[in-house]
Amino acid sequence: MCSALSDPVHPPFTFMGNQVEKLTHLNYAEVPTSDPNGFDPDDDGPRIGVSYIFSNDDGDDDQDENFDHFASVNHAANHEEKPFDPQDELECAIYYREECVYERDIGAATLSPESLLNKCRPGDLLEFVATGQYPHWAVYVGDFQVVHLHRAEIKNNFLTDVSQGKKGRIVNSLYRYRALPPESIVRNALDHVGSRDRELYWRNSECFAAWCRFGKREFKIGGEIRIGKQPYRLKLLFSEKKSHVLEFQSLEDVIMEKRRNDQIGKDAVTQELSNHLNTTNEIKEERFVD
C-alpha cells in the first residue's frame, strides 16, 4: 500500500472526489479552525488543527475505563465487550514527506494471551485490541511479563493480566524504522518502570512502546518542533478506489489521530469523513451563491 505521495498532475488519494485535506480531528467541526501553533493558515478553506486539549488519548489508556488495577470486577465486565472485528479495522499508512514510515494492512491475525506468550521474544512490541477501545501497546521483556504505559504510569505486569482476556498480536513490523537490539529495547522499557505523571515523556502506550523499540525522539512529547508545513500524512484506505489523506505537523499527532480512528472503527470514520466533506461542499456552494 505504501507508494509515492507526490503527483501534482494526478493527486493519488481521493475520497468522494476530494483531494488531500488539511484536517485532523474531524469530529471537532465546531472548534475554531485556528492553527494550534498560533499562526493563521495560508489557505481559505476550513482547517482544524491538532490540539491536545481536545484529545481523548491523553496519558494513554485513561480511555480504558476497564483497566483499573486489574480488579476482578473489571474482568467480569470484559465478558460484555464486543469481540474484536478485524473488518472494522481501517487500513492506513503514515508518511514523512515521501517516505512511508508505518503501514498497517487489515486482517492481521490476533491471538489469545496464552498463544501470544508462546510466540513472544524479549523486545517484541505487543498490541491488545478490543472493539470500541483504544489499542493498548506493551513491550515484552521476558519471563511472561511486559512493560507498558497505563494511566500516567509505566508499569511492569504479567502479559495475561495486562491483556484482560483481549486478543493481541506482535506488531514489530508496523513502523518501518530500524529496531534497536533486543537487550536495548528491554533496558529502555525497564529503566522507566515507576515513572509517572510529570516524569513521563510519552502521551500514550503506543508512543512509549515504539520509543523503547526504535529509540526515536519523534515518539516523545514535544520531540518535534511544530513549525511551518505539515510533513506527516496519514493515508486512510477505505477501499481500492477510495482513500483520504490527513496532514499533521508531528508523528505524535498522527499517532493520536490513528488511535482515535482505531477506537471508533472504520464505519464511524467513514461516516464522519463523509459528513465533513458534505458540509464543506455545502459551504463552498453557499459562497458561490453569494
Side-chain angles (χ1 to χ4, degrees):
M1 186 181 72
C2 281
S3 57
L5 279 171
S6 60
D7 187 348
V9 179
H10 303 288
F13 306 126
T14 60
F15 184 85
M16 300 177 63
N18 286 267
Q19 296 180 9
V20 173
E21 297 283 339
K22 289 187 177 180
L23 301 167
T24 56
H25 298 284
L26 302 177
N27 57 333
Y28 300 127
E30 72 278 8
V31 176
T33 57
S34 61
D35 186 275
N37 299 293
F39 300 100
D40 292 328
D42 294 329
D43 50 350
D44 295 326
R47 177 182 183 279
I48 304 174
V50 174
S51 176
Y52 296 135
I53 296 174
F54 307 109
S55 171
N56 290 327
D57 202 19
D58 221 304
D60 187 49
D61 310 291
D62 283 339
Q63 324 94 330
D64 190 349
E65 296 300 332
N66 293 327
F67 207 99
D68 193 9
H69 301 102
F70 314 113
S72 58
V73 62
N74 291 324
H75 281 288
N78 286 342
H79 293 297
E80 300 177 3
E81 292 177 356
K82 295 180 181 179
F84 176 66
D85 181 6
Q87 297 304 315
D88 198 34
E89 192 170 39
L90 186 58
E91 187 173 351
C92 64
I94 298 173
Y95 294 83
Y96 177 71
R97 304 192 189 283
E98 303 302 320
E99 177 188 4
C100 182
V101 298
Y102 172 101
E103 182 178 19
R104 182 183 66 200
D105 297 325
I106 58 174
T110 54
L111 303 171
S112 68
E114 294 74 18
S115 297
L116 192 59
L117 269 175
N118 293 330
K119 294 182 175 292
C120 286
R121 298 290 181 270
D124 282 348
L125 297 187
L126 308 181
E127 179 187 48
F128 299 100
V129 291
T131 297
Q133 296 186 22
Y134 287 83
H136 189 72
W137 284 49
V139 180
Y140 186 72
V141 295
D143 296 327
F144 313 107
Q145 299 180 53
V146 298
V147 173
H148 62 124
L149 171 59
H150 167 61
R151 294 193 174 233
E153 183 177 355
I154 296 174
K155 304 175 181 179
N156 186 1
N157 299 106
F158 286 108
L159 183 153
T160 50
D161 288 337
V162 173
S163 72
Q164 288 194 296
K166 300 172 187 173
K167 289 191 173 183
R169 53 195 174 191
I170 298 172
V171 289
N172 294 338
S173 60
L174 291 184
Y175 286 98
R176 296 193 165 191
Y177 303 119
R178 178 178 296 179
L180 299 172
E183 59 273 17
S184 297
I185 300 170
V186 172
R187 184 171 60 250
N188 281 343
L190 292 174
D191 282 351
H192 288 86
V193 171
S195 298
R196 58 185 307 161
D197 300 325
R198 296 183 182 275
E199 300 172 339
L200 297 175
Y201 299 100
W202 307 272
R203 194 164 295 277
N204 52 59
S205 62
E206 180 172 342
C207 286
F208 170 68
W211 174 83
C212 289
R213 183 170 177 85
F214 303 108
K216 296 185 70 66
R217 60 179 172 80
E218 287 85 349
F219 289 108
K220 290 187 173 183
I221 295 174
E224 295 174 279
I225 300 176
R226 296 177 176 87
I227 295 179
K229 205 168 182 181
Q230 296 169 305
Y232 288 93
R233 296 186 179 187
L234 173 63
K235 178 187 176 184
L236 308 175
L237 185 62
F238 297 91
S239 68
E240 291 185 1
K241 296 183 179 180
K242 289 185 178 180
S243 62
H244 195 74
V245 171
L246 309 176
E247 296 185 345
F248 300 84
Q249 286 188 317
S250 74
L251 180 60
E252 184 186 15
D253 293 339
V254 185
I255 291 173
M256 291 174 67
E257 178 67 11
K258 177 180 67 69
R259 289 171 60 78
R260 189 188 71 88
N261 292 343
D262 290 339
Q263 188 263 333
I264 66 176
K266 179 179 179 179
D267 290 344
V269 174
T270 303
Q271 185 60 52
E272 191 178 77
L273 183 58
S274 177
N275 292 342
H276 170 78
L277 295 179
N278 287 339
T279 300
T280 301
N281 289 336
E282 290 174 3
I283 293 174
K284 290 180 179 178
E285 289 175 2
E286 289 177 0
R287 288 179 176 176
F288 281 122
V289 170
D290 295 340

